[in-house]
Amino acid sequence: MSDDEADPELLALLRQHLQGKLTLADDPETGVLEGAEYVYDNATDVALDMRSCKNAAAAIYEQMQRKQYKPAAWSAHELHPDRAALGEQATVAFIFTMDLLNFSFWSERSEADRFAVEYRGKRWTGYWSLVAALRRALDEGIPITDSHFWQDEEACTLDALKQVFRSCTDEEMPLLAERLACLREAGQVLYQKYQCNPVNLIEAANGSAAGLVNLLARDFSCFRDEHVFEGRRKPVRFLKRAQILVADLWACFEGEGYGEFRDIDKITMFADYRVPQILNSMGCLIYSPPLETAIRAKREIPSGGSWELQLRACSIWCVELIRREIAKAHPGTHINAILIDFFLYDTMKEMEAAGKETVPHHRTRSIWY
């Protein structure tokens, strides 16, 4: 081959790159966005209103700019761990435990009667009840964030968890037995593969957010949030808690140290029940009459069913379109799906506290969110 002739192998690689088909071995993908788009394309009970999505993007950008919404906002909450005070490895252990158990806090009881945790003179519900309970347990000398404790079947029992997550009301924390099973499994996996330390798990991902998500899904069945949609052979991946664990590390460490990920923007929104709720109230998500009736009637929607998968997947795709719209309108601004999710979740909780909810969230009881 002369110097003037093109190398056919290089040409083939260039074509693949231009066509978006070239994926480097050290650049993993989670597959979450791909699955969400597939469900959206085939959904029959959830749709997106593009005009509302565009309007939402403008409103979200304006409010995030006004509030100066940044990753540092995560650490600003009084319950989230202060890594300077706690220590970096202990902070990683806290976040790992927190997101291992970060699921299913909704209640049909009134605000006064629902499961709640009292900590340092305040009463906490929902997700914050979990964080408060973990903080309280550590204050009381219970090693709730230690994987050795999770493996100790005499110390880490269902009764022990009832004490850790004791409520100041008559309602118990939901799915306590399932939470114990998550702790037990995670303790065993960390022992077998990561020298009992989640820091080693993070280091095994080699600075890749997608890589860490994939490791969590591969090694821990309790993080393997993937489901079959309408008979599709390839499962649709949501990986809500695996992704939020990566996002919490990134936010807590402000993109440095244990929170430094070169591909953090591959993380999607975290498909739960609060973000679909606010996207629906903003007119972005539209439901079929049977689904809307079920949600408004607060009927429980089965985990893994078609309705639930459409709600979650279309929310992921909706936030992705909002992110793209913001990037298009403000090319100099870097806002990823994580920050949009955090912002929407916080906004929905503020609306709930102010009694401004216009539509209830869907009811699904599971360990996935």
Side-chain angles (χ1 to χ4, degrees), residues 96-103 150 182-183 186 222-223 241:
F96 185 87
T97 308
M98 182 178 76
D99 288 321
L100 186 61
L101 304 177
N102 184 2
F103 55 83
W150 307 340
C182 288
L183 290 173
C222 61
F223 278 112
R241 289 189 295 108

Side-chain angles (χ1 to χ4, degrees), residues 21-319:
K21 295 178 180 179
L22 182 61
T23 302
L24 300 178
D26 61 349
D27 192 19
E29 301 288 341
T30 66
V32 173
L33 201 58
E34 172 201 352
E37 184 179 16
Y38 174 85
V39 175
Y40 165 72
D41 286 341
N42 293 275
T44 56
D45 292 282
V46 182
L48 269 59
D49 182 281
M50 295 305 171
R51 182 178 294 275
S52 293
C53 289
K54 188 169 185 175
N55 292 338
I60 289 167
Y61 175 79
E62 188 277 327
Q63 291 180 52
M64 289 179 76
Q65 293 297 109
R66 180 163 49 82
K67 294 182 178 182
Q68 295 186 320
Y69 206 82
K70 299 176 181 178
W74 190 95
S75 296
H77 195 282
E78 63 185 283
L79 287 181
H80 277 154
D82 178 352
R83 70 179 193 272
L86 193 59
E88 295 204 343
Q89 293 212 14
T91 297
V92 169
F94 189 99
I95 292 173
F96 185 87
T97 308
M98 182 178 76
D99 288 321
L100 186 61
L101 304 177
N102 184 2
F103 55 83
S104 199
F105 305 107
W106 59 269
S107 172
E108 296 296 5
R109 297 194 185 186
S110 68
E111 192 64 21
D113 296 329
R114 66 178 297 185
F115 170 77
V117 168
E118 285 187 355
Y119 179 64
R120 294 187 177 178
K122 291 186 179 181
R123 176 189 176 108
W124 304 94
T125 60
Y127 160 75
W128 295 115
S129 67
L130 167 68
V131 189
L134 295 178
R135 293 285 300 270
R136 181 178 65 184
L138 292 176
D139 289 352
E140 294 172 349
I142 302 171
I144 189 61
T145 61
D146 188 338
S147 66
H148 294 91
F149 175 69
W150 307 340
Q151 296 178 77
D152 189 338
E153 296 186 9
E154 293 185 1
C156 187
T157 63
L158 190 58
D159 286 339
L161 284 197
K162 287 181 179 179
Q163 176 64 17
V164 168
F165 298 111
R166 65 188 181 275
S167 176
C168 57
T169 71
D170 291 336
E171 185 176 36
E172 191 176 79
M173 176 180 265
L175 303 182
L176 266 178
E178 288 80 357
R179 295 179 203 276
L180 176 59
C182 288
L183 290 173
R184 195 82 79 216
E185 185 212 6
Q188 292 168 355
V189 173
L190 288 175
Y191 170 77
Q192 292 166 0
K193 297 190 174 186
Y194 299 104
Q195 297 80 50
C196 300
N197 193 337
V199 162
N200 295 326
L201 169 64
I202 295 169
E203 291 176 347
N206 194 30
S208 170
L212 182 51
V213 168
N214 290 340
L215 283 177
L216 288 163
R218 184 194 72 185
D219 293 342
F220 301 81
S221 65
C222 61
F223 278 112
R224 201 173 302 133
D225 178 14
E226 53 187 37
H227 312 274
V228 174
F229 176 70
E230 303 288 1
R232 184 192 189 214
R233 184 171 299 176
K234 184 179 181 180
V236 175
R237 308 186 94 197
F238 295 92
L239 307 179
K240 185 264 184 179
R241 289 189 295 108
Q243 289 204 107
I244 204 169
L245 195 161
V246 173
D248 284 346
L249 289 168
W250 173 72
C252 178
F253 288 90
E254 297 185 43
E256 300 179 350
Y258 295 123
E260 183 177 358
F261 300 103
R262 64 181 178 273
D263 55 351
I264 191 64
D265 290 346
K266 289 185 179 179
I267 302 301
T268 70
M269 65 80 72
F270 318 116
D272 63 356
Y273 41 78
R274 284 302 186 184
V275 176
Q277 180 186 22
I278 193 169
L279 291 174
N280 176 248
S281 69
M282 296 173 79
C284 299
L285 285 189
I286 303 170
Y287 304 149
S288 68
L291 176 55
E292 181 158 3
T293 298
I295 291 174
R296 289 187 177 277
K298 299 183 179 181
R299 295 206 300 267
E300 190 159 338
I301 294 174
S303 176
S306 180
W307 277 359
E308 190 231 9
L309 299 186
Q310 289 180 58
L311 283 165
R312 299 182 74 198
C314 290
S315 296
I316 293 173
W317 191 243
C318 182
V319 169

